[in-house]
Amino acid sequence: MPTIETQAQAIFDAHRATFLPTAEALDSAPEFSRADVNYQAAKLGCLRLGFIPIDAECLALAWQAQSVRTGQFDATAWPDTRADFGLAPRPRANTFAPCPDRLGLYAVLPDAAWVGRMARAGVPTVQLRFKSDDQAAIVREVHAAVAAVQDTGSLLFINDHWRAAINAGAYGVHLGQEDLDALQPAELETIRASGIRLGVSTHGYAEMLRADAVSPSYIAMGAVFPTTLKKMATAPQGLGRLYAYARLLRGMPLVAIGGIDAAQMPAVAASGVGSVAVVRALVQAPNPELAVAELKQILAGG
């Protein structure tokens, strides 16, 4: 009879080429919440593949559910069925206002001037990520960004500042996990009731399940590659994980983000995501307008 160790090793051997575990990951010590052999083997195998404990727990529970559903434990079958992860079926009563399934090229920009410039250059989706402790300055910048996309066809998301976004009439708001967790239920309902779209950042399975539970308009997944623009709590996810995430969340709008440039975009787009977010590839480009045209052509498969 297979043991926990042999099943865990089978998972590791079957998927190591996809997830490229680091040497450090092999020494992770498991803590089990269930006595089920398939669950324990899956958690140990996923830890060895480099998944952080909370994500390995999600995968182990899903692998156990998959084994029960199919009647067998299969080390080669990476879980990607929504029900095995406990994800509720759609449509749902608490769903946020919808956005296009494919948001296309998604530019994350530092101020309203950049928002207007990239909207006029034909970027279909733009995000204002304006950092300031001055609330009046935030309100001015959000209103300026909303004005800047008028008559351009670009969809504007505001990072973090959801009250200002609602008041200014922005298309959507984008929240990180910390922002989402900080919201009171009444505040989340205020955002939903306003009709504004909601995008949520995620960095692994546990955060994807947390984001899916609030039924956002889209889910962003990253950082796919190393990025110097912000300090990340988790290591870069890599293409193997991105592809697995996209399979699990197929059927809803998805955005890949983090360190993506023109060379990497075809492989990222092949994951099935409907949008690829970029920052440096535009704001640090010698000719941002030319970069927009090139990136859109790549995303279109040209």
Side-chain angles (χ1 to χ4, degrees):
M1 177 178 292
T3 65
I4 291 173
E5 174 58 35
T6 58
Q7 290 186 184
Q9 189 62 39
I11 288 174
F12 180 79
D13 291 340
H15 303 284
R16 65 189 303 176
T18 298
F19 298 112
L20 305 174
T22 63
E24 293 80 6
L26 304 181
D27 296 326
S28 299
E31 293 184 5
F32 299 128
S33 64
R34 297 187 178 189
D36 182 85
V37 171
N38 294 332
Y39 155 82
Q40 291 191 7
K43 184 162 186 179
L44 182 57
C46 292
L47 286 168
R48 290 178 176 176
L49 287 168
F51 287 89
I52 61 175
I54 193 171
D55 288 343
E57 177 74 8
C58 292
L59 282 163
L61 293 172
W63 223 306
Q64 180 187 7
Q66 175 179 266
S67 299
V68 171
R69 176 174 54 81
T70 62
Q72 64 175 349
F73 174 84
D74 185 350
T76 67
W78 193 263
D80 62 6
T81 299
R82 293 178 60 89
D84 292 339
F85 285 84
L87 295 174
R90 295 173 179 274
R92 306 171 185 167
N94 71 333
T95 302
F96 276 80
C99 66
D101 289 340
R102 307 190 70 81
L103 289 164
L105 183 63
Y106 189 141
V108 181
L109 305 161
D111 56 41
W114 267 106
V115 166
R117 181 178 179 180
M118 292 296 92
R120 292 189 296 274
V123 177
T125 308
V126 291
Q127 180 188 130
L128 173 68
R129 183 187 283 170
F130 181 69
K131 301 299 182 182
S132 175
D133 295 325
D134 183 340
Q135 191 59 39
I138 290 170
V139 170
R140 287 195 299 271
E141 203 70 21
V142 170
H143 277 80
V146 170
V149 300
Q150 293 298 314
D151 302 321
T152 66
S154 293
L155 306 179
L156 171 65
F157 287 84
I158 305 298
N159 185 276
D160 291 349
H161 310 301
W162 60 270
R163 291 184 179 85
I166 292 172
N167 291 336
Y171 180 81
V173 62
H174 181 95
L175 298 178
Q177 287 284 317
E178 300 83 0
D179 306 304
L180 187 63
D181 291 340
L183 287 175
Q184 297 298 315
E187 292 176 317
L188 186 63
E189 184 53 40
T190 295
I191 299 173
R192 183 184 289 111
S194 74
I196 202 169
R197 285 81 178 169
L198 174 66
V200 179
S201 294
T202 66
H203 310 89
Y205 281 101
E207 292 190 358
M208 286 191 295
L209 301 188
R210 168 74 179 91
D212 184 84
V214 302
S215 303
S217 307
Y218 74 76
I219 289 179
M221 305 176 298
V224 182
F225 302 110
T227 175
T228 60
L229 292 176
K230 61 184 297 187
K231 183 176 177 59
M232 304 302 297
T234 56
Q237 301 294 302
L239 287 173
R241 295 193 189 196
L242 176 66
Y243 279 51
Y245 299 159
R247 287 195 302 273
L248 174 60
L249 296 179
R250 58 190 175 274
M252 74 171 300
L254 302 173
V255 179
I257 188 170
I260 302 168
D261 59 22
Q264 299 154 331
M265 191 168 284
V268 171
S271 68
V273 298
S275 179
V276 178
V278 295
V279 186
R280 289 177 297 170
L282 292 180
V283 299
Q284 294 182 10
N287 186 329
E289 283 76 13
L290 179 60
V292 168
E294 292 174 345
L295 294 174
K296 287 177 65 176
Q297 184 175 12
I298 293 171
L299 262 183

